[in-house]
Amino acid sequence: METQHFSYDNKIVKFFAYATILWGVVGMLVGLLAALQLAFPIFNFNLAYTSFGRIRPIHTNAVIFAFVGNGIFTAVYYSLQRLLKARMFNDRLSWIHFWGWQAIIVSAAVTFVLGITTSKEYAELEWPIDIAITIIWVVFGWNMFGTILRRRADHLYVAIWFYIATFVTVAVLHIGNSISLPYSWIQSYPVYAGVQDALVQWWYGHNAVAFFLTTPYLGLMYYFLPKAANRPVYSYRLSIIHFWALVFLYIWAGPHHLLYTSLPDWAQSLGVVFSIMLLAPSWGGMFNGLLTLRGAWDKVRDSATLKFMVVAVTCYGMSTFEGPMMSLKWVNSLTHYTDWTIAHVHIGAMGWNGFLTFGMLYYLFPKMWNTKLYSEKLANAHFWVGTLGMIFYALPLYWGAIVQTLMWKEFTPDGLLAYPNFLETVTQILPMYHVRVLGGLLYFSGLFLMVYNLLKTAASGKCIDNEEASAPAIVTDTKRSNSEGLHRWLERKPVQFMILATVAILIGGAFEIIPTYLIKSNIPTIESVKPYTPLELQGRDIYIREGCNTCHSQMVRPFRSETERYGEYSKAGESVYDHPHLWGSKRTGPDLAREGVPGGKMYKTNVWHFNHMLDPQKMNAQSIMPKYPWLIKDVLDTSSTPAKIRAMTTLGVPYAEGYDLIANDDLKKQAEEIAADLKNSGIEVASDKEILAVIAYLQRLGRDISVQK
């Protein structure tokens, strides 16, 4: 058989590795700032661009799509070439992918700082950037599949299965969740509303975690862990079961983020059932990783690289046990809307993704620069500092979540809420927020030990940008032999493999999403629910711009503790005109679903809202809410009102024909009424300020249901 000579492209791997390190520093630095802001509100700096609501999506997107994203591409570009015995399909595509992805990251940071956001968790980017993501993702897939099709290896190794599933599923999720109707050159409204938007969002949100933070990193684990330990994967058969069960089951589990909400019960039950089933394949993958180290545990003692990988796989096991447990309704009733979710997510992000990335980088740099790691002691120090950081980060949040949820639900012997003021529950967990800052600082400090260690390692060697290699050419037999297993045959058929994986992930999404559109009883109509007035619509968009929905939910669950605190529980038909939904996933502040009901449990006057937005600490010294003085100073841009009304009308919101032409007249009239009310209470404010729109929106919340009753 003829031996062919070629070279591996290490230069692209090097650049992705450097980008991983850079964005890791940036993303975690912003995360540390966000943690400081929750512990000490002064760190919001009273500036629009640095307030918690705006920097929080910078942190999440920088860690997920910049740090982890570049880590994925580092792993894929390095391992794929070696597993397929082929250079990447096209060098130009590789560099378009690299620079395109970095440009997307920078544009995301800029738009979030400016308050340009869709507010949808892990999908906050607006439509032009979504289109750019789609293009660059296609470039990545084109390059990957081109390499697979011209491979010199007969079969696709398990890591490549996970890379393929990642590509097709992220494409489906991103396109499905990002469909929106632009009303300007940069901003849009999602086509989905209310219940449908919530279901599609968490179909995407849960599986963004599954197919961006999990499946590609399982591919990374299956390649780098055996390489670092110099041991074969424990079980090929377990790999097959792990892959197909995970790919099929994961896509069904999204509704467990919406338990006890207005989502139909059948969809909630599906989410619970499939979440519990996920435990088996997830732990199968964990055991396959850890048992790969059989007979090699002595190496873990001496190798920081293996220490990082072992703890990463263990954190994967912990997170994938915790997720199904949190999907049980009785557990969810305690953990949802608390910091338990934040701790759970960070065990996955810091432990599974962070530590596996660190382990990969410690393995790659000596290999690619043909030298030894500069300091094994520094790497071990990084491991222990990072591990302590995770512990000090997560444990206080778990403890604080238990304290707060029990306080939310506690009643006096007389049947009254023991802590009717939500802020009472926040002040009790502030010490936990302080300890979390320490944990984040430790984890962040460990990152600098790694940066120094890797740069010194690179300086002591030389990266061979084009690494010479050779392999025999293969002739792929299209027929399946009698002795060949079905899956072994499928591993020689990448196109069929991709199609089968796509079908597996489409089934769950179709079964969950389609009925909410075709069966009207899923979302019963409430006649009293009306579209937002133009001023309320503008106020809602400002509310989204400032990230208020990050800390405030708008979903009263059917628990006695919640109806006593907030009022009537939320109905599916309430949010039929909400593009997007704002049900929320965390309560750093109280729920606002009934905020505007006159005489209701949550009702506040216009004056209260004005003073609260201007200076929350003046209203209550223990508040951790940022100040919003710019809302009082900034003039409301009403030039966008007609376009917004037209977009909403196109999406099915029943505004009268031609209303867009007179909408600003109604806006001005309502603003003047609020300004007059404030003036009667001694507050002089012009009727063209943004604060009036925000007040109008807050005073609208829950009123439609109040009218119905």
Side-chain angles (χ1 to χ4, degrees):
M1 187 176 293
E2 178 191 357
T3 298
Q4 297 182 343
H5 298 276
F6 56 96
S7 63
Y8 296 132
D9 183 3
N10 286 340
K11 187 175 182 180
I12 190 67
V13 179
K14 176 176 66 176
F15 271 65
F16 272 119
Y18 281 145
T20 302
I21 296 168
L22 170 65
W23 293 120
V25 172
V26 172
M28 294 176 204
L29 178 61
V30 177
L32 185 59
L33 175 59
L36 278 167
Q37 290 175 339
L38 289 173
F40 310 101
I42 192 173
F43 283 99
N44 286 277
F45 306 120
N46 295 339
L47 297 173
Y49 307 122
T50 55
S51 63
F52 179 81
R54 295 203 189 184
I55 71 160
R56 193 259 183 180
I58 297 177
H59 164 60
T60 56
N61 281 263
V63 169
I64 295 172
F65 300 110
F67 170 60
V68 173
N70 279 291
I72 291 168
F73 302 136
T74 302
V76 170
Y77 277 87
Y78 182 85
S79 62
L80 194 70
Q81 296 183 81
R82 285 152 180 83
L83 290 171
L84 299 176
K85 301 292 188 292
R87 188 181 180 88
M88 292 305 298
F89 175 68
N90 187 292
D91 288 2
R92 184 172 295 176
L93 289 178
S94 298
W95 289 107
I96 291 173
H97 176 203
F98 176 80
W99 289 113
W101 196 257
Q102 310 318 311
I104 287 167
I105 293 165
V106 173
S107 62
V110 171
T111 52
F112 290 150
V113 165
L114 295 175
I116 300 170
T117 172
T118 67
S119 86
K120 302 180 77 170
E121 196 98 20
Y122 314 135
E124 296 93 344
L125 295 169
E126 273 288 4
W127 68 271
I129 305 176
D130 281 337
I131 292 174
I133 291 171
T134 304
I135 293 170
I136 296 303
W137 195 254
V138 169
V139 168
F140 164 57
W142 180 8
N143 208 10
M144 180 173 72
F145 273 94
T147 310
I148 291 172
L149 292 175
R150 71 174 192 183
R151 67 194 183 280
R152 296 181 182 86
D154 192 23
H155 293 270
L156 302 182
Y157 179 66
V158 57
I160 301 174
W161 311 347
F162 283 99
Y163 298 158
I164 292 172
T166 297
F167 170 72
V168 296
T169 311
V170 169
V172 170
L173 293 169
H174 173 68
I175 294 171
N177 188 49
S178 299
I179 301 174
S180 59
L181 180 65
Y183 63 81
S184 75
W185 68 275
I186 188 65
Q187 291 184 282
S188 63
Y189 291 126
V191 297
Y192 317 106
V195 172
Q196 295 160 343
D197 186 55
L199 181 57
V200 172
Q201 160 57 27
W202 284 112
W203 166 76
Y204 165 88
H206 179 79
N207 292 297
V209 172
F211 288 92
F212 201 87
L213 298 178
T214 303
T215 54
Y217 267 66
L218 287 169
L220 193 160
M221 177 196 79
Y222 273 114
Y223 180 82
F224 286 98
L225 182 59
K227 284 288 186 180
N230 196 26
R231 302 285 296 178
V233 170
Y234 172 68
S235 172
Y236 166 71
R237 290 183 178 179
L238 186 55
S239 301
I240 297 173
I241 297 170
H242 175 209
F243 174 78
W244 288 108
L246 200 74
V247 167
F248 177 74
L249 295 175
Y250 235 131
I251 211 79
W252 294 78
H256 78 218
H257 291 264
L258 300 169
L259 300 184
Y260 292 111
T261 68
S262 299
L263 189 73
D265 285 341
W266 64 264
Q268 296 184 38
S269 298
L270 272 179
V272 173
V273 170
F274 280 90
S275 297
I276 298 301
M277 292 169 67
L278 263 176
L279 182 60
S282 297
W283 272 45
M286 177 190 69
F287 284 129
N288 214 9
L290 293 178
L291 290 174
T292 296
L293 293 170
R294 69 200 187 286
W297 282 98
D298 57 308
K299 296 181 179 179
V300 178
R301 181 184 61 242
D302 302 321
S303 169
T305 299
L306 284 175
K307 285 188 181 75
F308 276 110
M309 292 183 177
V310 167
V311 172
V313 176
T314 305
C315 286
Y316 169 67
M318 291 170 60
S319 294
T320 53
F321 173 79
E322 195 176 19
M325 293 304 101
M326 290 170 69
S327 73
L328 295 172
K329 279 199 165 185
W330 71 270
V331 177
N332 185 274
S333 69
L334 295 171
T335 62
H336 194 50
Y337 288 130
T338 73
D339 285 304
W340 191 287
T341 306
I342 310 303
H344 164 65
V345 167
H346 280 79
I347 288 294
M350 299 167 89
W352 167 236
N353 296 117
F355 268 34
L356 199 52
T357 302
F358 301 153
M360 175 189 70
L361 292 172
Y362 280 123
Y363 172 85
L364 275 184
F365 268 65
K367 285 281 185 184
M368 289 179 57
W369 272 264
N370 196 26
T371 186
K372 290 184 177 180
L373 184 65
Y374 173 70
S375 173
E376 194 71 33
K377 288 184 178 179
L378 274 180
N380 275 292
H382 175 200
F383 169 78
W384 290 112
V385 170
T387 302
L388 284 174
M390 273 198 297
I391 293 170
F392 279 106
Y393 186 100
L395 287 185
L397 293 186
Y398 285 129
W399 186 259
I402 294 169
V403 169
Q404 190 173 35
T405 194
L406 293 179
M407 291 179 73
W408 288 348
K409 294 178 178 294
E410 187 173 348
F411 284 84
T412 67
D414 297 325
L416 302 174
L417 285 170
Y419 304 98
N421 186 343
F422 188 93
L423 189 57
E424 292 179 277
T425 73
V426 176
T427 56
Q428 290 300 312
I429 64 173
L430 279 178
M432 288 73 163
Y433 283 0
H434 299 158
V435 179
R436 170 174 58 176
V437 172
L438 172 62
L441 184 60
L442 284 171
Y443 193 89
F444 186 60
S445 301
L447 187 60
F448 280 96
L449 294 178
M450 183 191 74
V451 172
Y452 176 76
N453 204 356
L454 294 183
L455 290 179
K456 293 291 286 185
T457 301
S460 67
K462 183 178 181 181
C463 183
I464 303 173
D465 289 342
N466 295 285
E467 181 183 336
E468 296 298 326
S470 61
I474 64 162
V475 178
T476 303
D477 187 0
T478 58
K479 294 182 180 180
R480 178 187 167 198
S481 66
N482 293 331
S483 61
E484 186 178 36
L486 177 61
H487 200 273
R488 192 69 174 166
W489 171 81
L490 188 62
E491 291 164 28
R492 293 193 280 109
K493 302 291 183 180
V495 175
Q496 290 90 328
F497 193 102
M498 179 188 69
I499 293 171
L500 194 57
T502 304
V503 170
I505 63 101
L506 287 176
I507 293 172
F511 266 86
E512 288 177 347
I513 295 170
I514 292 175
T516 63
Y517 284 89
L518 299 183
I519 304 173
K520 291 186 177 181
S521 61
N522 280 312
I523 310 171
T525 302
I526 300 175
E527 190 174 336
S528 61
V529 175
K530 305 298 180 186
Y532 294 107
T533 67
L535 186 64
E536 292 162 359
L537 184 62
Q538 289 283 12
R540 189 175 196 267
D541 289 343
I542 294 170
Y543 179 94
I544 289 172
R545 181 191 76 192
E546 300 303 334
C548 301
N549 55 293
T550 298
C551 293
H552 294 282
S553 61
Q554 290 180 28
M555 175 55 58
V556 182
R557 298 177 295 174
F559 301 142
R560 180 187 170 209
S561 59
E562 296 205 9
T563 56
E564 285 293 319
R565 187 184 303 277
Y566 303 118
E568 182 74 8
Y569 68 87
S570 299
K571 312 295 193 302
E574 288 183 57
S575 53
V576 291
Y577 304 134
D578 285 357
H579 297 265
H581 82 287
L582 295 177
W583 293 1
S585 56
K586 173 73 173 69
R587 285 177 182 157
T588 307
D591 188 276
L592 301 182
R594 302 287 175 253
E595 186 73 11
V597 178
K601 299 174 186 295
M602 298 298 294
Y603 183 74
K604 308 291 191 307
T605 65
N606 292 337
V607 174
W608 189 93
H609 283 302
F610 182 94
N611 289 327
H612 189 237
M613 299 299 288
L614 177 62
D615 190 349
Q617 285 71 43
K618 189 174 181 180
M619 305 291 286
N620 193 310
Q622 293 179 307
S623 173
I624 60 173
M625 179 175 158
K627 299 176 183 178
Y628 294 92
W630 55 92
L631 297 181
I632 286 84
K633 299 175 184 177
D634 292 350
V635 174
L636 177 65
D637 178 13
T638 59
S639 64
S640 61
T641 305
K644 290 182 177 183
I645 296 295
R646 287 194 295 271
M648 284 291 180
T649 303
T650 302
L651 293 172
V653 180
Y655 290 108
E657 185 176 352
Y659 183 66
D660 59 302
L661 302 176
I662 61 170
N664 274 328
D665 295 335
D666 285 353
L667 182 152
K668 184 178 179 181
K669 181 180 178 181
Q670 187 177 7
E672 288 173 346
E673 290 172 356
I674 297 173
D677 181 66
L678 291 173
K679 185 175 182 180
N680 291 336
S681 301
I683 297 175
E684 292 278 355
V685 59
S687 61
D688 62 352
K689 301 303 182 185
E690 288 187 336
I691 185 66
L692 302 182
V694 175
I695 291 174
Y697 172 65
L698 293 173
Q699 294 291 34
R700 171 62 184 275
L701 295 175
R703 283 190 178 232
D704 290 344
I705 301 302
S706 175
V707 169
Q708 182 196 35
K709 294 175 66 177

